């Protein structure tokens, strides 16, 4: 088990660094935009509602890519692995094209239908058009990263993404605020910085895969079985992310019933949760997909289950410690974000609700990654959909509004949603046919 833990750390730390820098990049965008005006902040926030769509497509297609890449790496099937990677990159680029057209043709109407005023529509439309112009590159960058990670190479994507995020940060400051001879472009500059960095990142990672320095390579896509499996694995993962994103609309409306301070407090608590724990749970998620997928590809389902169990224990241990630290230091961390006493009180409670949930987060992500590595993306989708709809939304409303428990009902709904995520993936891991699914997928690719 210790060897699995050592491999988890070796594969996971580059992913954690990558995720930390990505979060930092987004934080810089928010800080710089906040220096312009409240209109600019609102404009970026509304545009991001649409900009989430190509991100979700990239993550969904990336799930299919890492499943096939890890399995075929494990069984030494370089040809079908490289065909899968190439098809995923081409499919990702193609799926990004409609977003380019949307950005060029209807970016302002998309913002206007949300009810924003004229000034916000004008700025947000410009920003959205620029960001969506880079949608194909955004998807390709995500898919390329997952393809390399599936081969067991997590450092190369880290270096590429780190460079991309560093460039984004520098260009955001230079173009957004204007430095020396560079004019101040405001929110347009922030959008241009994002588009340039994503384009460069996609170019570099594609060239890296095509070059001799990585185990993965490009191959002429001529295998429809690979295409069907990519789509079959990717679609539920896309639906999983999309359902979570869409749930933010009614959840925010629900919390606003308790006041603006409560809504601000929720976003602070959520930001703390993602900032402090995201690098950990995303790492174990991806590492589980890699190790389990490769073990299944090697024809050793017992080792795959053992590795998944070892990563699960590691994840629960680490995230439980992180959760305890969050709970104990909630007030100190919250005060970094706000000085309003009412907001502080609510934000501390939201942060502690997330902290209490950490043990269940520690269960969900490694097991979800395990299932994804085997090609089962439906079970994690069911888990998150049930958790979000039944507990985070309906449960919070029932407890908080119908039964009059107020925000305490929302806190309970948050915790119960994570509990349900964990229970459903545990059931899928224990009794689901994920090992048999992987064996069948591999056999189908072998036959072609």
């Amino acid at each position: 088990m210790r060897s699995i833990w050592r491999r988890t750390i070796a594969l996971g730390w580059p992913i954690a660094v990558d995720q930390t820098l990505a979060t930092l990049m987004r934080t810089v965008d928010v800080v710089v935009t906040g220096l312009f005006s409240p209109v600019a902040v609102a404009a970026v926030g509304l545009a991001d509602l649409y900009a989430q769509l190509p991100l979700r497509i990239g993550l969904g297609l990336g799930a299919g890519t890492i499943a096939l890449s890890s399995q075929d790496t494990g069984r030494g099937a370089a040809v079908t692995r490289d065909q899968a990677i190439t098809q995923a990159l081409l499919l990702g680029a193609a799926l990004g094209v409609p977003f380019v057209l949307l950005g060029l043709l209807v970016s302002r109407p998309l913002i206007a239908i949300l009810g924003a005023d004229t000034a916000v529509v004008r700025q947000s439309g410009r920003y959205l058009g620029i960001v969506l112009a880079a949608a194909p590159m955004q998807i390709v960058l995500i898919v390329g990263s997952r393809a390399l990670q599936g081969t067991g190479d997590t450092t190369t994507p880290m270096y590429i993404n780190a460079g991309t995020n560093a460039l984004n940060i520098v260009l955001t400051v230079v173009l957004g605020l204007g430095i020396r001879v560079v004019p101040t472009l405001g929110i347009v500059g922030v959008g241009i910085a994002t588009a340039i960095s994503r384009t460069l990142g996609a170019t570099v990672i594609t060239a890296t895969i095509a070059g001799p320095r990585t185990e993965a390579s490009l191959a002429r896509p001529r295998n429809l079985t690979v295409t069907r499996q990519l789509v079959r694995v990717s679609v539920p993962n896309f639906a999983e992310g999309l359902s979570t994103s869409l749930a933010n609309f009614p959840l925010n409306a629900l919390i606003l019933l308790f006041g603006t301070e409560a809504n601000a407090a929720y976003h602070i608590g959520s930001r703390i949760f993602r900032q402090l724990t995201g690098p950990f749970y995303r790492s174990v998620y991806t590492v589980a997909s890699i190790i389990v997928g490769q073990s299944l590809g090697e024809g050793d389902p017992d080792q795959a289950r053992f590795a998944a169990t070892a990563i699960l224990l590691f994840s629960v241990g680490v995230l439980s410690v992180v959760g305890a630290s969050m709970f104990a230091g909630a007030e100190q961390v919250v005060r970094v974000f706000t000085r309003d006493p009412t907001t502080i009180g609510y934000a501390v409670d939201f942060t502690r609700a997330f902290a209490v949930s950490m043990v269940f987060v520690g269960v969900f992500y490694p097991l979800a990654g395990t299932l994804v590595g085997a090609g089962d993306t439906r079970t994690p989708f069911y888990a998150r959909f049930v958790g979000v709809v039944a507990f985070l939304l309906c449960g919070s409303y029932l407890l908080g509004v119908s039964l009059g428990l107020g925000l305490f009902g929302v806190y309970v709904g948050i915790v119960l949603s994570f509990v349900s995520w964990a229970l459903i993936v545990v059931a899928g891991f224990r009794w689901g046919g994920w090992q048999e699914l992987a064996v069948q997928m591999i056999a189908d690719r072998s036959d072609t």
Side-chain angles (χ1 to χ4, degrees):
M1 187 168 290
R2 289 184 179 179
S3 64
I4 298 294
W5 290 350
R6 286 194 293 270
R7 190 180 178 194
T8 298
I9 295 172
L11 289 171
W13 75 261
I15 301 170
V17 171
D18 184 1
Q19 292 298 325
T20 301
L21 292 174
T23 305
L24 176 62
M25 179 269 293
R26 182 56 185 152
T27 300
V28 171
D29 283 356
V30 173
V31 171
V32 171
T33 304
L35 297 175
F36 303 144
S37 67
V39 169
V41 175
V44 172
L46 292 176
D48 280 348
L49 295 176
Y50 295 104
Q52 286 282 319
L53 292 175
L55 170 65
R56 293 302 181 185
I57 289 176
L59 293 174
L61 191 55
T65 305
I66 198 171
L68 271 61
S69 176
S70 61
Q71 290 174 11
D72 284 347
T73 296
R75 69 190 183 100
V79 173
T80 54
R81 180 197 62 209
D82 294 345
Q83 287 180 347
I85 291 172
T86 305
Q87 290 189 34
L89 291 171
L90 292 173
L91 183 58
L95 290 173
V97 172
F99 293 102
V100 177
L101 299 177
L102 286 175
L104 290 173
L105 301 176
V106 293
S107 60
R108 291 193 182 184
L110 288 174
I111 302 299
I113 62 175
L114 298 175
D117 61 36
T118 304
V120 173
V121 169
R122 183 172 61 253
Q123 290 201 39
S124 187
R126 291 174 182 170
Y127 174 81
L128 180 61
I130 296 169
V131 171
L132 289 183
M137 284 68 80
Q138 179 185 15
I139 298 173
V140 166
L141 179 56
I142 295 171
V143 170
S145 297
R146 296 297 186 270
L148 291 177
Q149 289 168 351
T151 68
D153 180 2
T154 57
T155 54
T156 300
M158 178 194 68
Y159 290 133
I160 295 173
N161 286 317
T164 298
N165 291 326
L167 177 65
N168 197 331
I169 291 170
V170 172
L171 290 178
T172 292
V173 175
V174 172
L175 298 177
L177 299 179
I179 303 295
R180 296 183 181 276
V181 298
V182 179
T184 301
L185 298 179
I187 189 175
V188 171
V190 176
I192 292 174
T194 300
I196 291 176
S197 61
R198 287 174 178 171
T199 300
L200 179 61
T203 302
V204 171
I205 204 160
T206 302
T208 300
I209 293 173
R213 294 189 176 184
T214 60
E215 182 176 346
S217 187
L218 300 180
R220 181 174 296 180
R222 57 178 67 181
N223 193 330
L224 291 179
T225 299
V226 170
T227 307
R228 286 192 293 269
Q229 290 190 2
L230 271 175
V231 173
R232 188 187 312 140
V233 176
S234 300
V235 169
N237 189 271
F238 167 70
E240 175 188 341
L242 183 62
S243 64
T244 303
S245 295
L246 293 177
N248 285 324
F249 292 96
L251 179 62
N252 277 272
L254 170 62
I255 297 174
L256 278 170
L257 295 175
F258 304 102
T260 302
E261 293 84 358
N263 187 255
Y266 166 73
H267 287 287
I268 290 172
S270 179
R271 168 62 62 179
I272 292 171
F273 166 64
R274 291 195 301 269
Q275 186 76 52
L276 296 183
T277 67
F280 295 102
Y281 65 69
R282 287 171 181 150
S283 294
V284 295
Y285 175 88
T286 304
V287 168
S289 295
I290 296 170
I291 295 178
V292 170
Q294 290 186 0
S295 297
L296 291 168
E298 292 168 356
D300 194 345
D302 291 335
Q303 175 62 21
R305 184 175 288 275
F306 175 78
T309 303
I311 297 171
L312 169 64
L313 294 175
F314 178 86
S315 173
V316 170
V318 171
L319 288 172
S320 294
V321 172
V322 174
S325 301
M326 277 179 59
F327 192 95
E331 184 171 350
Q332 288 77 10
V333 178
V334 164
R335 288 185 180 276
V336 174
F337 292 85
T338 182
R339 296 297 180 188
D340 179 70
T342 303
T343 304
I344 288 174
Y346 292 147
V348 168
D349 290 339
F350 273 114
T351 302
R352 286 177 172 164
F354 284 114
V356 170
S357 305
M358 289 311 301
V359 64
F360 306 107
V361 173
V363 171
F364 172 77
Y365 279 96
L367 293 186
T370 293
L371 297 174
V372 168
D376 176 13
T377 50
R378 293 188 178 186
T379 300
F381 164 61
Y382 297 148
R384 292 186 68 163
F385 184 81
V386 170
V388 166
V389 175
F391 295 100
L392 186 61
L393 295 180
C394 296
S396 294
Y397 183 85
L398 175 64
L399 295 171
V401 178
S402 300
L403 297 181
L405 296 180
L407 281 175
F408 179 76
V410 179
Y411 306 148
V412 174
I414 290 173
V415 175
L416 290 178
S417 67
F418 287 115
V419 172
S420 68
W421 290 14
L423 290 177
I424 292 174
V425 293
V426 165
F429 176 74
R430 179 65 181 84
W431 295 290
W434 55 277
Q435 292 167 300
E436 292 79 8
L437 172 63
V439 170
Q440 185 60 54
M441 288 176 60
I442 291 170
D444 290 343
R445 296 199 299 278
S446 299
D447 290 342
T448 57

